[in-house]
Amino acid sequence: MPQTARSEQRSFMTGNEVVARAALAAGAEYMFGYPITPQNEIMHYWRRLAPRYQRGFLQTEDELSAGFACLGAVLRGKIAFSATAGPGTVLFQEPLSMAEMMRLPVVVIVQQRGGPSTATVIYSQQEVTLTCFGGNGEGLRLVYSTSSHQELYDYTIKAFHQAWRYRFPTFVLGDGYQAKMREALFLYNPEDRGMGAVPARPLLGHKGSNGNGEPQLHLRNAFSVEEELAEILRKHLADFDEAAPYLEEHEFIGEPGANLLVVAHGIVGRAAREAVEELRREGKKVNFFRPLTLRPFPEKALQQALANSNRSMLVVESAQGQLGSLCRLASGHEALQRFDTFYRPGVGITTEEIREAVTL
Amino acid sequence: MSERSMPRCWNRESKPHRFCPGCGHGLVLKALGMAIDELDLAGRTVFACDIGCSLLAWDFFTFPSLQTHHGRTTPVMVGLKRADPDQIAVAYMGDGGGYAIGLQHLISAALRDDPITVILVNNTVYAMTGGQMAPTTLPGQKTETSPFGRDVDATGIPVKGPEMLKAVVHPEAYLARGTVAQVLKLKKAIQKGLEAQMAGHFSFIEALSTCPTNWRTSASATWAFLEKEMGDYYKVAELMH
Ligand SMILES: Cc1ncc(C[n+]2csc(CCOP(=O)(O)OP(=O)(O)O)c2C)c(N)n1
Ligand code: SF4
Ligand SMILES: [Mg+2]
C-alpha cells in the first residue's frame, strides 16, 4: 500500500484537506459522511483518495445514520470516523450518546458554523457545549480544539489514538475558517515519529474470531434498575477521571506576578496569543492560557495559571460564554478577582479587538 | 421573466429571484404560483421550504412562508395543518431533503394521509452544498462524492419517489412526477395535488429540474440532460390507484 505521506512533507493546503490527510495517515479505515458546509471537502478528498489506500467511504442518508454506521464499524474493530458541523453535530448526539455508554471510540471532526439552527455556514465557536456535553449523560467524551493546520493534522491523528486507547468517543473541533483557509504545515507518517498503530480491536464478535483478545458477545445499554446503571456509570466516570491527566493538554505563556490571564481556544486562541505577546513586549503583565482539550478540561493547569495572574481572567470566544462557563467551573473554589469576557457569538475576533478588550 | 408573466402570488419585492441562471427551481415555483392563482388560494396558503437551494425561496410569495431545517419541512407542515386545517400547507424541498434525511417523514406523512402538499425538486444532486451525490443521482453520474461515477452496486439504485410512495398512500392521495420542461403540465399536477389536500388527502409532486451550476453544463447540455438522461429514468406521470 502506498505511504500516505512522505516523511516530513511540507505542504500548503486547506484545513479540510489536512483532516482527510491526517485520517489517512492515522490509518482510519472507513468514513461515513453526510454533506454539510463547511466540512464537505473532508468528504470529497477522502472519497477521492480512499480507493488508492484501500479505505472505505459511504455517504449515508443523514448524520444519524453516519454516526450509527461508524458505531457498527467500530464494534467490528474498524477505525471509523465522520465529519460534520452545526445542525449535523446536533444529530450526532444520539449515536455519540450510545458511544459514551458502550465506550465506542468513534472520531468526529466538527468544523463549527454559526448557530442556532441553520444560521451561517461560515464560522463560530458555538459547538463547545454540544461536543462536550451534548448527550443525555455525563459528557464522557474527548474534545480537542485546534488553532492551526499543524494542530489540525497532529490532533486528528492523536484523536484516533486516544479514542481507541481510552475508549471514549472523540471530537476534533475546527471551524469554518480553518476548514477553508490554506496554510503551511508538515505532513508526516505517525510511525516516523515513533507512534505505533491505533490500538483498534473488535469489541463484538464470535468467540475466537478476532485474534487479539476475546470480544464481548453480548453488549447492552439498557438497564432495569438504578443500581445497575449507577455501577456502570461509576466505572465509566472513574475511567474518565483516571485518564484525564494523560489526556488534558494546554498552552501557557507567562510567569508569576501577572495582572491578567487571557483565555481563548481554537483559532481565537491564535489571535489572543498574538495580542498577549504584543502586550508583553510593551511591558504589560499579561499571561495567556489556551486549552487544547476542552473535555477533559485542563483544570489544574488553569488554576495554576490563575494563581500566576492575580486570579483575574479575560475569556475571549466566538460564542456567548460556552468556554466562559467551562473556565468558571474549572477556576476552583477560591473567588476570582476579575472575570472579564469578550463574547462575539458566531463572529470572528481579531488580535486588535482582543488588545482593546484587555484592561489592566 | 416579465412583470406580466409573473404569477400574481409572487412577491415582486423579492424578484429577480436568487437562483442561478438556468436553474429549474424558479420554474417549479412558477408552476406552483400559477396553480395557487388559478385556485385562488393565496389568501390561505402557507409555504415552507427546506434547507437546500429551496431555502432561497423563503420570501418568494406574497403569502406567509418560512424556512425549516434540512429534511424537516414535512413534519413542520403536518403540525401546522393539524393546528389549523383551513390552511393550505405546501412543503417545498430538494431530493436530498425529501429522499435522504427527510425520507422517514415523507413516508410517515403519506402513511397517515396527512392533508398537505409536498413538492420535491429532483435535480439529481445536493446542489446547495456543492454537488454531492443525491438519492436521485443517475447510475454512472459523476458528483463530488461519486467522482468516478455513481456505482449502483455500492450505493444502490436511484430512488423513484412517487412510485415508492404509491405502495403506502391512501387511494385518494395524489402522486405525480412532472418536469420543468413542461411547466403547464407541472402546474396542472400541482393543482390536482392542492385539490387532493382540500379534499383531505396527502399529495406529492416530484419535479424534474435543472442545476447547471453543479452539473457544470452549458444551456443546451443542461436541457439535454433533463430531457434525455433524467427523462429516460424518471417517467413523467400521474400515479393513481
Ligand atoms: C442536519 C443537516 N445536515 C446537513 C445539512 C447541510 N445541507 C444543506 S442543504 C443540503 C443538501 C441540499 O440538497 P437537496 O435537498 O437536494 O436540495 P438542492 O440544494 O439540490 O435543491 C445539505 C446536506 C443541514 N443543513 N442540516
Ligand atoms: S446551485 Fe443548482 S439548484 Fe442551486 S440555485 Fe444554482 S442552479 Fe439552482
Ligand atoms: Mg437536489
Side-chain angles (χ1 to χ4, degrees):
Chain A
M1 201 184 297
Q3 291 247 298
T4 53
R6 280 182 277 118
S7 25
E8 307 301 322
Q9 176 186 345
R10 193 166 166 79
S11 304
F12 185 70
M13 53 177 64
T14 64
N16 280 339
E17 185 170 5
V18 169
V19 171
R21 298 265 173 193
L24 276 175
E29 294 166 283
Y30 227 107
M31 178 182 192
F32 296 93
Y34 190 74
I36 191 161
T37 311
Q39 75 74 24
N40 290 313
E41 296 79 11
I42 297 178
M43 226 170 42
H44 300 173
Y45 284 118
W46 177 270
R47 177 66 188 86
R48 276 165 204 274
L49 292 168
R52 205 186 299 168
Y53 302 98
Q54 287 100 53
R55 316 291 172 87
F57 172 78
L58 180 68
Q59 182 180 321
T60 53
E61 65 276 22
D62 66 6
E63 291 85 352
L64 290 172
S65 176
F68 282 108
C70 280
L71 301 191
V74 161
L75 280 162
R76 276 305 290 155
K78 290 275 183 216
I79 305 169
F81 78 107
S82 191
T84 192
T89 317
V90 174
L91 295 185
F92 260 95
Q93 298 311 318
E94 191 187 342
L96 261 286
S97 192
M98 171 167 151
E100 282 183 58
M101 181 54 119
M102 304 182 85
R103 304 287 295 270
L104 305 177
V106 55
V107 172
V108 183
I109 318 303
V110 174
Q111 302 288 29
Q112 298 169 93
R113 56 186 258 176
S117 186
T118 309
T120 77
V121 298
I122 307 166
Y123 162 83
S124 88
Q125 294 192 310
Q126 295 173 290
E127 296 176 48
V128 169
T129 308
L130 191 56
T131 44
C132 290
F133 296 108
N136 61 330
E138 307 298 337
L140 295 166
R141 299 126 175 249
L142 316 183
V143 181
Y144 291 100
S145 174
T146 63
S147 71
S148 67
H149 282 26
Q150 191 63 60
E151 280 186 3
L152 204 48
Y153 191 75
D154 297 345
Y155 285 92
T156 298
I157 292 174
K158 195 164 198 175
F160 288 102
H161 283 267
Q162 302 297 61
W164 279 92
R165 183 165 301 129
Y166 296 101
R167 302 253 311 261
F168 292 110
T170 301
F171 284 108
V172 179
L173 268 189
D175 59 64
Y177 291 164
Q178 295 189 60
K180 301 281 185 177
M181 74 184 183
R182 278 176 207 281
E183 187 168 278
L185 78 156
F186 281 103
L187 304 181
Y188 52 84
N189 279 315
E191 308 89 79
D192 297 344
R193 295 209 175 172
M195 294 170 87
V198 171
R201 63 181 182 82
L203 307 167
L204 180 74
H206 296 275
K207 259 200 170 71
S209 68
N210 301 299
N212 51 348
E214 286 298 315
Q216 298 182 48
L217 298 174
H218 309 288
L219 296 175
R220 65 166 172 168
N221 70 7
F223 304 94
S224 18
V225 292
E226 292 171 8
E227 288 70 21
E228 244 179 346
L229 169 64
E231 196 182 316
I232 298 270
L233 268 183
R234 226 180 348 258
K235 186 179 171 320
H236 290 347
L237 287 163
D239 286 353
F240 195 82
D241 288 344
E242 199 181 306
Y246 304 98
L247 293 164
E248 289 166 11
E249 291 189 45
H250 72 281
E251 179 190 0
F252 175 73
I253 298 173
E255 60 275 304
N259 299 320
L260 184 70
L261 181 68
V262 176
V263 186
H265 77 104
I267 201 165
V268 176
R270 197 160 150 167
R273 185 204 296 121
E274 207 170 290
V276 169
E277 279 173 341
E278 282 178 22
L279 289 164
R280 288 167 62 83
R281 278 197 292 278
E282 293 161 19
K284 307 268 172 29
K285 293 183 159 180
V286 192
N287 289 344
F288 170 69
F289 186 87
R290 178 170 69 93
L292 261 141
T293 48
L294 297 175
R295 183 94 185 123
F297 197 85
E299 205 169 298
K300 293 223 165 56
L302 179 70
Q303 288 172 14
Q304 181 60 47
L306 279 170
N308 290 335
S309 317
N310 192 31
R311 288 199 64 74
S312 300
M313 69 172 139
L314 165 67
V315 181
V316 185
E317 60 176 314
S318 296
Q320 192 66 24
Q322 301 195 21
L323 173 67
S325 40
L326 291 178
C327 288
R328 256 200 191 283
L329 269 177
S331 64
H333 298 300
E334 208 185 309
L336 289 168
Q337 288 293 327
R338 271 169 68 187
F339 184 78
D340 296 352
T341 60
F342 188 77
Y343 296 155
R344 290 289 177 276
V347 178
I349 300 176
T350 63
T351 303
E352 293 69 36
E353 287 171 320
I354 298 171
R355 278 196 59 139
E356 276 172 36
V358 171
T359 54
L360 290 167
Chain B
M1 195 172 295
S2 80
E3 175 74 13
R4 286 183 54 199
S5 65
M6 272 190 215
R8 284 194 312 283
C9 62
W10 273 26
N11 174 11
R12 261 80 186 148
E13 278 164 35
S14 62
K15 305 297 169 297
H17 58 60
R18 306 177 184 90
F19 302 107
C20 307
C23 177
H25 269 286
L27 292 170
V28 182
L29 293 165
K30 180 172 187 187
L32 172 62
M34 292 191 303
I36 285 174
D37 282 354
E38 208 155 307
L39 295 173
D40 199 19
L41 290 175
R44 58 189 185 105
T45 296
V46 176
F47 173 86
C49 54
D50 213 71
I51 298 301
C53 287
S54 68
L55 72 81
L56 300 172
W58 65 275
D59 59 351
F60 206 92
F61 296 101
T62 54
F63 41 81
S65 59
L66 82 152
Q67 262 177 9
T68 65
H69 270 202
H70 182 44
R72 314 302 176 198
T73 309
T74 303
V76 172
M77 286 293 96
V78 165
L80 188 132
K81 184 77 183 182
R82 287 192 183 227
D84 185 353
D86 289 340
Q87 301 292 311
I88 299 298
V90 177
Y92 184 73
M93 64 197 64
D95 38 10
Y99 292 151
I101 190 167
L103 184 60
Q104 61 174 336
H105 306 312
L106 183 59
I107 292 179
S108 300
L111 280 165
R112 286 187 304 253
D113 197 31
D114 278 307
I116 62 170
T117 299
V118 177
I119 300 175
L120 184 148
V121 176
N122 175 353
N123 54 14
T124 73
V125 285
Y126 282 74
M128 172 130 283
T129 41
Q132 294 84 8
M133 193 181 84
T136 47
T137 297
L138 293 173
Q141 188 181 339
K142 286 188 178 158
T143 69
E144 287 291 343
T145 49
S146 59
F148 314 111
R150 180 173 185 166
D151 172 2
V152 292
D153 291 336
T155 65
I157 54 165
V159 61
K160 293 182 176 172
E163 290 84 347
M164 172 179 67
L165 290 174
K166 191 173 174 195
V168 299
V169 290
H170 185 279
E172 284 166 69
Y174 180 78
L175 297 173
R177 181 181 292 110
T179 168
V180 297
Q182 298 165 14
V183 174
L184 289 179
K185 206 166 165 184
L186 179 60
K187 182 211 80 174
K188 193 76 205 151
I190 293 175
Q191 207 169 320
K192 287 188 183 172
L194 293 168
E195 282 163 354
Q197 176 176 172
M198 288 188 277
H201 299 289
F202 179 77
S203 55
F204 177 82
I205 299 99
E206 177 187 294
L208 303 182
S209 182
T210 54
C211 178
T213 304
N214 286 295
W215 295 352
R216 300 188 179 92
T217 43
S218 66
S220 58
T222 301
W223 217 248
F225 187 77
L226 171 72
E227 297 206 286
K228 185 82 188 77
E229 271 94 334
M230 289 177 73
D232 280 354
Y233 190 92
Y234 299 112
K235 297 293 173 211
V236 170
E238 289 182 310
L239 289 95
M240 317 299 273
H241 270 274

